[in-house]
Amino acid sequence: MAAGDATSIPEAESINASTKHATIPLGSRAELTELFSYPNRPSHQSLAATNVDDSNRHERVDKEQQNSEMSLEQTIQHYLISSILRDGYSESKIHIAKSKEPQYCNDINRQDNNNDDQLYASLSGNAAMSYSQALPQFFKIGKLGLQACQRVQVDGLWKENWRFFLPLGLPLTRHWTVELLHFPPTYTLEKDQDYLASRSTLRWRQLLVINSENKRTKTDPVLLRSPKDDRDEPTDGFQAIIDIVPIAAPSSDGKNMKDVYPYFEDYIRASLQFWASSTTAYFGTDERSAKPIIAFGWPVKCWVEANQTQRHDSNVNHTPTTPENNEQENGSDPSSLKVLSLTRIPIETDSHASRSTQVLIANHPSYLYNAGKRMASNTIDSLGEEESSLLEKIMIEDLIAARWQVRMGLDPSQDPHRILQECCEFWRDSSSLEEIHELINAQAFILQ
């Protein structure tokens, strides 16, 4: 089945603002099967991983679904509950049903027996109003990604071990920064069913938490959540991820994707508009300020470089962003953006006014432990000077980038260049070295 018209997702059919209830049509079972990569588990092949010319694929998937660990409704509810909680709407309830009648629940084991082909999301609580707008937009973007994957398949560039995977379960309406990455690893879909469960994302989460603390001064620590926030993991508001390729693949498959990037241009731009075009007012910030972006690794750096509207290198010591120290590609341009370079990329708004947002270039979070696995020892103190200096440099750059992300996310109206300089001074202070070594020992050698 073709993905269809990307603009055909209907708006919410029923919204009651006074009682905070909304009923949102999600689409047909066939559409949602593809958008949610159902079934997720490895014993079942996703639709986007099959031949697009196979007219019997829906019949085969229907048979597989009977033996799936989770139903389609349970899978959709699993990811939408995750989004709602990561947005801090802990009091809200959601239920996926084949009926328009509201049946609020956060129990993914609940089933409905109606045979209607259309599925609906019934929401109650503070998430109802915002999600009645966000979910249709998100599914529209998802269709762009799915259509791009189908074109990749038609052109013979699709790999057998790839699977279409949208950034499901992430905060959709109340987040403060955007993380631009390459592609999600397969295990986050097939094993964890959690987009934020990758090793690199979990490592970066630790750096965000560390940078919310200010141990060397008597000032109050930076808060990762507002007083009104109720999310379980406070870093969730900083980790809204856009992968420039919405394909779940083995972690080492980045080198095989360089020919597919052009297919996803519309998807990337629509995703940026959705996730980065405005900021929440949680911290009293300007609602028209675009969300700051952290761009991780070589392929993402190249995309940013091709789309930047303004480049400004602050007075900091840069490390060239090269394939050797980020991901598996060949060649580098000495004049290209470097680690800790600041630039801007355009964000299109609904009013068609061209705006842009700040982007900071960072190492890929996996660079540290990919470097560490090649070391002869698993503690920095027992390494030679060259090896220990490399790990120190990577970790300091990563801590600086994470600190900039926290500070700019909480108030994007600040001067990003001044904030970057302050972050550099903070982590390049000699008093930080002991903490940096502790972090290296904890994070750099996990692949050995």
Side-chain angles (χ1 to χ4, degrees):
M1 183 196 79
D5 182 1
T7 65
S8 64
I9 298 289
E11 299 295 330
E13 291 191 356
S14 173
I15 303 175
N16 189 326
S18 61
T19 56
K20 298 180 180 179
H21 291 165
T23 300
I24 307 169
L26 302 179
S28 69
R29 295 182 63 85
E31 289 174 322
L32 295 168
T33 293
E34 295 188 294
L35 290 175
F36 282 83
S37 307
Y38 181 77
N40 292 170
R41 296 301 185 184
S43 59
H44 306 283
Q45 188 178 33
S46 72
L47 291 181
T50 63
N51 189 318
V52 294
D53 295 326
D54 183 357
S55 60
N56 298 318
R57 62 192 176 122
H58 285 296
E59 295 179 10
R60 291 189 288 100
V61 170
D62 285 341
K63 293 179 180 179
E64 291 177 346
Q65 289 172 356
Q66 298 175 6
N67 299 319
S68 178
E69 182 177 339
M70 295 172 65
S71 69
L72 174 61
E73 290 88 340
Q74 289 173 326
T75 300
I76 296 170
Q77 188 153 314
H78 161 73
Y79 286 114
L80 295 189
I81 288 174
S82 178
S83 288
I84 286 172
L85 294 177
R86 283 171 170 161
D87 268 322
Y89 297 117
S90 62
E91 87 299 337
S92 294
K93 302 293 183 182
I94 185 169
H95 182 57
I96 308 303
K98 305 166 192 173
S99 169
K100 299 178 186 179
E101 297 301 319
Q103 301 177 51
Y104 307 112
C105 180
N106 271 357
D107 179 7
I108 65 172
N109 294 312
R110 179 166 177 167
Q111 297 277 0
D112 290 281
N113 297 318
N114 192 309
N115 291 323
D116 188 356
D117 184 60
Q118 299 293 313
L119 294 182
Y120 298 82
S122 296
L123 290 99
S124 67
N126 291 330
M129 291 298 293
S130 59
Y131 270 58
S132 66
Q133 298 178 356
L135 285 181
Q137 294 177 42
F138 177 72
F139 289 140
K140 182 193 293 187
I141 294 166
K143 281 194 168 186
L144 290 175
L146 179 60
Q147 290 168 348
C149 283
Q150 291 169 336
R151 290 194 295 272
V152 171
Q153 293 168 339
V154 168
D155 290 348
L157 299 175
W158 192 264
K159 306 298 180 184
E160 290 185 359
N161 58 354
W162 289 1
R163 297 189 62 185
F164 172 63
F165 189 25
L166 289 175
L168 303 172
L170 301 187
L172 299 179
T173 65
R174 301 205 295 188
H175 55 284
W176 307 299
T177 63
V178 173
E179 296 181 349
L180 202 57
L181 285 151
H182 193 189
F183 66 94
T186 302
Y187 61 85
T188 58
L189 169 64
E190 296 183 344
K191 177 179 179 292
D192 300 296
Q193 291 182 291
D194 184 352
Y195 212 86
L196 296 185
S198 71
R199 285 188 298 266
S200 57
T201 300
L202 294 174
R203 178 185 169 241
W204 200 258
R205 175 184 294 176
Q206 290 180 304
L207 300 189
L208 293 173
V209 171
I210 289 167
N211 276 291
S212 72
E213 303 168 350
N214 196 340
K215 300 177 181 179
R216 296 198 298 277
T217 73
K218 295 182 180 180
T219 59
D220 292 333
V222 176
L223 295 177
L224 283 178
R225 67 170 108 217
S226 81
K228 296 181 181 180
D229 202 350
D230 197 24
R231 58 191 101 203
D232 291 335
E233 176 54 64
T235 58
D236 288 344
F238 290 83
Q239 294 197 285
I241 293 174
I242 300 173
D243 280 296
I244 62 172
V245 179
I247 295 174
S251 300
S252 61
D253 247 28
K255 60 183 179 297
N256 297 323
M257 292 187 173
K258 59 184 179 180
D259 293 330
V260 308
Y261 302 144
Y263 291 82
F264 296 99
E265 283 296 320
D266 290 343
Y267 167 79
I268 298 170
R269 294 182 189 284
S271 297
L272 285 169
Q273 179 177 348
F274 177 71
W275 262 294
S277 62
S278 64
T279 188
T280 64
Y282 257 25
F283 296 90
T285 56
D286 178 3
E287 291 190 9
R288 291 185 56 80
S289 295
K291 294 179 177 71
I293 294 176
I294 301 287
F296 294 105
W298 173 259
V300 176
K301 188 274 302 188
C302 292
W303 187 91
V304 170
E305 200 164 47
N307 290 275
Q308 64 184 341
T309 59
Q310 171 190 344
R311 175 177 174 182
H312 180 94
D313 289 339
S314 298
N315 187 24
V316 297
N317 296 323
H318 295 295
T319 296
T321 310
T322 64
E324 291 74 19
N325 70 10
N326 278 277
E327 295 200 21
Q328 307 87 354
E329 308 254 353
N330 293 316
S332 62
D333 179 359
S335 66
S336 66
L337 290 171
K338 300 173 176 60
V339 173
L340 302 182
S341 289
L342 276 171
T343 188
R344 300 186 71 91
I345 56 175
I347 303 295
E348 297 298 328
T349 66
D350 292 336
S351 63
H352 304 292
S354 179
R355 293 193 296 123
S356 61
T357 189
Q358 290 287 342
V359 181
L360 181 68
I361 304 299
N363 297 310
H364 193 279
S366 65
Y367 176 32
L368 181 78
Y369 50 74
N370 284 332
K373 72 180 180 182
R374 297 190 292 267
M375 303 298 179
S377 176
N378 60 4
T379 62
I380 188 169
D381 293 334
S382 57
L383 294 175
E385 182 178 354
E386 183 176 351
E387 291 180 325
S388 61
S389 295
L390 173 61
L391 295 182
E392 285 177 6
K393 186 175 184 63
I394 298 170
M395 180 61 83
I396 289 172
E397 289 169 344
D398 291 352
L399 287 165
I400 290 170
R403 190 171 186 83
W404 184 91
Q405 182 180 357
V406 169
R407 293 193 60 187
M408 289 301 299
L410 299 183
D411 183 1
S413 66
Q414 300 176 97
D415 179 352
H417 314 296
R418 175 180 61 81
I419 296 300
L420 178 58
Q421 188 63 43
E422 292 176 1
C423 294
C424 291
E425 292 171 359
F426 185 92
W427 282 112
R428 286 172 176 159
D429 189 299
S430 58
S431 62
S432 301
L433 196 57
E434 181 178 353
E435 182 178 6
I436 289 167
H437 281 196
E438 291 175 358
L439 282 169
I440 291 171
N441 288 334
Q443 294 186 342
F445 307 105
I446 62 173
L447 296 186
Q448 283 193 353

